[in-house]
Amino acid sequence: MDSRTPPYLLQQADIAPRAGWLRRHRWFIAIVLLPTTLVALWLFLFAADQYESEAHFLVRKADQGQSGSSLPGFAQMVGLGGALGGGGEAVSVADYLDSHDAVMAADERLDLTALFRRPEADFISRLWYADPDAEDLVRHFRGKVDVAYDIDTGITELAVRAYRPQDAEALTTTLLQLGEERVNALNERGQEALLESARRQLDEAEADLGRVSGALAAYRRSERQVDPTLSGRAGTELETTLRGELAQLRSQDAAMSGIAADSPQRVALRRRIAAVEAEVAAAEARISGGRGLTAAIGNFEDLRMRQEFAAKRYELAAGMYEKARSDALRQNLFVVRIVEPNLPERALYPRRITIVLTVLAGLALAYGIGWLLLAGMREHAA
Amino acid sequence: MTTASLSEGLSVQRNVIGALILREIHTRYGRDNVGYLWLFLEPAILAAMVALIHIGGNSHLTGSIGPIPFALLGYTTFIMFRSIFTRADAVLETNAPLLYHRQISIFDMVLARALLELASTIVVLAVLFGIATLAELAHPPERPLALLAGIGLLWWWSLALSFLICAATNENRLVTKFVHPISYILLPISGAFYMLDWLPRVYRDIMAWFPMTQMFELIRYGMFAAARDDYVQPIYIIFWCMLLTFLGLLSIRAVRRHVHIG
């Protein structure tokens, strides 16, 4: 027996030609032709049409040109680029649309189970359970809805397949709306958080300023003076003047020593000297005495500094609050629709010819490989 | 008769391949034990170099994929491809006398070598990643089945190509001159050392059609939690492998009678 001759050539050839052909190629028929035919029959006769609706959108920040990552590739390849990121907001909507959260939200609006189980759907591709649990629904949803985010352009492509054109369009529109709502929610939450913290700082600064100002006012009331520093300076000036006057009076007194001590002039002069001396002593006591000016000025300076500091802090907090408010308005994320959802007219899915050809080619190759392997195996036995 | 001869043939072939693997181990690693060691040292040295480069900044690639396990994984798996691919031309040269025995076929020789490479790659990968994991430079594989599937597909691809090369070199010795250059060209473009995500879109779309890039994406998807399998199309890869296997099997079958024995 020649091992190189394909085994089917060794079969006896005296059967009727048609039956002989069938017999000789029975493996090819069983492995390649039959399954392909079955698949083709299924696809062309029973499989339900699926319509695809598509929408493209971009998530943008108002103050940024582009929300996609600006540094793709090479720098990261060399390890210089750091983490791939920055597009967090942009990818958020795509991430959301692919999640159970979006599925549940869409289910509330559209009744996805009914949509995936239309009467015209075939029983292989439709949702298998009439009352699916959340996990099954999400899995089926992911099979019917493609969300593709492109890192370079930042564009998210949403493609939905359904058994009716209207369903496909409705689901795409709903998903887009859900995405927009989610973006708005994110915005609000972000603004609220930002404003909230700025507001709190402003409030704190305000309260602090009020407290210090109150303390200052109370101090002024209790000391009965507006500004101890000023009164201090006035007191010192007064004392200096008085001392000057005293010295002058004393020298006058000395100059009049020739005149009788009990002359009315000298008596009057001595009285004046005594009065001025008392004044000087009183002024001195006011400046430096016990609870006097020195201590008062110290306390006052302290309070005033605290007030100044609090005022500055308030000013800063107010500025930050204003900035936060304008930022919150400016840093809005929003969804830019690039391609609006369309109402499909012709069913593009399932791709019948492609699938049939794929199955045919795959099985034919498998058959060829199998045949070659088996032939090789047989050689060993010979 | 057919099934009986088939099972007999299968058992003979299994023995033949087993014996060929043993023979290969002896001729390759038998004399000096450093041969074994090189299998581990080569990727380990590369990993050390990569570690040195990255010793300064703690820049991570994408997310949780460290540069060291990244390079280690790419290199060890690429080595498997390279050694199956570039040694295919020598299969007939070194083993031709064995074809005196009619139980031994070219298929057996090529398959035995490829199986040996697969086994050694998996061992090397396990040992090096074990060490790296203990040193806290790497994590255990995130999706072991995907990792094995990726390695398996890469192995299948290498095997199919090596059938073709084995047959082609026998027909024309000039082919040998091209095998090594091709393997060097494939080093940068195979995707062993970059992720498709890193490429600008224009090039990414082109490169994603090359099955090897998808295989390496799948391997990385199996190993790293942060890797994604967006570009992997299993059916596409399998189609390529099947097509090449079919052509390869046909070609070695055609070549057998041209082999000059001795």
Side-chain angles (χ1 to χ4, degrees):
Chain A
M1 187 169 85
D2 186 0
S3 60
R4 262 190 263 293
T5 313
Y8 62 76
L9 290 183
L10 300 175
Q11 309 288 331
Q12 54 279 54
D14 53 350
I15 317 169
R18 172 144 307 190
W21 188 90
L22 280 178
R23 250 187 90 83
R24 269 186 274 133
H25 296 94
R26 64 181 184 280
W27 289 113
F28 187 74
I29 292 168
I31 293 174
V32 182
L33 293 184
L34 195 65
T36 311
T37 317
L38 286 179
V39 170
L41 279 180
W42 168 260
L43 283 174
F44 283 101
L45 296 184
F46 301 104
D49 282 345
Q50 292 181 36
Y51 298 86
E52 188 181 65
S53 175
E54 210 178 310
H56 296 185
F57 61 87
L58 196 62
V59 180
R60 289 185 64 169
K61 237 181 190 174
D63 63 341
Q64 274 180 355
Q66 173 102 73
S67 53
S69 81
S70 56
L71 194 97
F74 203 77
Q76 280 161 359
M77 185 164 162
V78 191
L80 300 171
L84 194 127
E89 297 95 352
V91 85
S92 61
V93 176
D95 191 47
Y96 167 69
L97 287 181
D98 203 31
S99 70
H100 59 93
D101 203 359
V103 176
M104 291 308 138
D107 192 29
E108 258 170 40
R109 294 187 194 188
L110 279 181
D111 190 8
L112 289 181
T113 314
L115 198 141
F116 290 146
R117 283 178 68 84
R118 293 290 186 211
E120 53 263 54
D122 61 85
F123 67 86
I124 287 185
S125 68
R126 77 174 181 198
L127 182 60
W128 292 347
Y129 320 97
D131 186 20
D133 39 34
E135 282 73 15
D136 285 324
L137 190 60
V138 169
R139 192 194 318 188
H140 192 80
F141 177 90
R142 286 191 179 142
K144 289 278 193 272
V145 175
D146 286 332
V147 185
Y149 170 72
D150 188 310
I151 300 178
D152 293 337
T153 57
I155 295 178
T156 309
E157 296 177 9
L158 179 65
V160 174
R161 285 183 298 282
Y163 298 105
R164 289 176 189 168
Q166 295 82 5
D167 284 352
E169 194 199 16
L171 186 50
T172 315
T173 313
T174 310
L175 286 175
L176 257 185
Q177 280 168 359
L178 283 174
E180 280 166 354
E181 280 164 26
R182 178 49 53 116
V183 158
N184 290 340
L186 284 176
N187 277 337
E188 267 169 34
R189 210 168 304 160
Q191 286 171 16
E192 267 168 25
L194 208 69
L195 282 180
E196 177 61 29
S197 83
R199 177 83 240 174
R200 212 170 35 241
Q201 284 199 7
L202 187 63
D203 285 349
E204 266 170 31
E206 206 177 339
D208 199 32
L209 183 61
R211 213 165 38 243
V212 175
S213 297
L216 198 61
Y219 178 82
R220 280 184 174 139
R221 254 199 317 281
S222 73
E223 293 292 319
R224 296 215 180 84
Q225 47 192 350
V226 177
D227 187 340
T229 323
L230 273 181
S231 4
R233 198 177 302 136
T236 323
E237 270 166 21
L238 178 68
E239 193 205 341
T240 318
T241 325
L242 285 174
R243 277 186 190 281
E245 202 182 331
L246 185 63
Q248 208 186 344
L249 288 175
R250 284 206 173 125
S251 66
Q252 223 174 358
D253 186 47
M256 283 163 71
S257 56
I259 302 169
D262 53 354
S263 74
Q265 261 181 317
R266 282 197 73 179
V267 171
L269 192 58
R270 268 203 301 279
R271 277 202 196 120
R272 271 187 72 187
I273 286 174
V276 170
E277 269 175 350
E279 280 296 316
V280 166
E284 260 178 357
R286 243 204 326 276
I287 291 169
S288 55
R291 273 193 77 250
L293 260 180
T294 342
I297 288 176
N299 278 341
F300 180 77
E301 284 295 323
D302 184 40
L303 272 174
R304 216 177 45 188
M305 229 157 73
R306 266 166 55 195
Q307 190 204 22
E308 242 167 59
F309 181 71
K312 226 166 233 157
R313 187 174 153 205
Y314 176 79
E315 222 169 84
L316 229 78
M320 287 225 311
Y321 179 68
E322 272 314 304
K323 193 171 169 306
R325 228 169 50 168
S326 68
D327 275 1
L329 289 180
R330 214 148 40 84
Q331 276 190 344
N332 264 343
L333 285 179
F334 47 91
V335 170
V336 185
R337 293 187 182 197
I338 298 172
V339 176
E340 290 282 347
N342 61 317
L343 179 68
E345 291 180 0
R346 200 155 58 82
L348 294 176
Y349 290 87
R351 297 195 184 276
R352 298 187 168 88
I353 295 176
T354 316
I355 294 176
V356 170
L357 286 181
T358 310
V359 170
L360 181 64
L363 289 176
L365 276 176
Y367 176 81
I369 293 169
W371 186 82
L372 284 166
L373 286 178
L374 288 181
M377 240 180 256
R378 277 214 188 84
E379 273 177 34
H380 290 81
Chain B
M1 176 237 164
T2 34
T3 42
S5 73
L6 209 61
S7 67
E8 189 196 338
L10 181 64
S11 73
V12 172
Q13 189 170 23
R14 208 185 296 130
N15 290 336
V16 167
I17 291 173
L20 280 173
I21 289 178
L22 284 181
R23 180 173 182 273
E24 196 71 25
I25 290 176
H26 277 291
T27 53
R28 215 132 111 219
Y29 310 118
R31 297 285 140 67
D32 51 330
N33 285 318
V34 188
Y36 264 124
L37 221 56
W38 264 118
L39 274 180
F40 296 93
L41 277 183
E42 227 176 290
I45 288 172
L46 178 86
M49 288 299 163
V50 172
L52 268 182
I53 293 172
H54 286 272
I55 216 161
N58 46 358
S59 64
H60 283 274
L61 292 169
T62 20
S64 63
I65 303 180
I68 295 169
F70 185 84
L72 210 56
L73 184 68
Y75 196 68
T76 40
T77 43
F78 187 80
I79 289 260
M80 174 180 78
F81 166 75
R82 204 190 61 186
S83 42
I84 296 177
F85 185 76
T86 56
R87 284 189 182 135
D89 60 335
V91 167
L92 280 178
E93 211 174 336
T94 52
N95 290 335
L98 288 177
L99 290 174
Y100 272 124
H101 310 279
R102 61 174 302 148
Q103 282 93 348
I104 301 179
S105 64
I106 303 175
F107 174 82
D108 297 343
M109 295 171 182
V110 177
L111 183 67
R113 284 199 163 197
L115 280 174
L116 184 61
E117 292 296 342
L118 177 67
S120 67
T121 300
I122 291 179
V123 171
V124 167
L125 204 60
V127 169
L128 288 181
F129 263 84
I131 294 172
T133 307
L134 287 181
E136 299 195 335
L137 293 170
H139 301 284
E142 190 66 25
R143 308 170 184 93
L145 279 181
L147 177 64
L148 284 180
I151 293 177
L153 283 171
L154 184 64
W155 178 77
W156 187 4
W157 162 266
S158 318
L159 177 71
L161 281 177
S162 67
F163 285 140
L164 280 171
I165 288 169
C166 179
T169 47
N170 190 64
E171 293 301 296
N172 189 344
R173 297 300 303 168
L174 207 60
V175 177
T176 319
K177 306 278 180 235
F178 291 100
V179 170
H180 280 269
I182 289 175
S183 82
Y184 292 133
I185 294 170
L186 285 179
L187 179 72
I189 68 174
S190 66
F193 298 107
Y194 63 86
M195 307 223 283
L196 283 175
D197 256 354
W198 300 351
L199 297 179
R201 181 165 195 184
V202 197
Y203 304 112
R204 190 201 312 153
D205 289 351
I206 299 169
M207 291 311 292
W209 286 109
F210 187 47
M212 281 186 86
T213 57
Q214 293 193 17
M215 292 169 190
F216 280 107
E217 286 282 307
L218 181 58
I219 289 173
R220 275 189 294 270
Y221 176 69
M223 182 60 88
F224 304 116
R228 292 181 308 154
D229 63 343
D230 293 358
Y231 305 105
V232 183
Q233 297 168 288
I235 292 183
Y236 179 73
I237 307 178
I238 290 171
F239 242 96
W240 264 100
C241 290
M242 281 174 74
L243 186 67
L244 289 175
T245 312
F246 182 65
L247 295 177
L249 287 175
L250 273 183
S251 62
I252 55 168
R253 200 173 168 76
V255 142
R256 171 140 199 189
R257 63 194 88 148
H258 303 170
V259 177
H260 296 285
I261 300 172

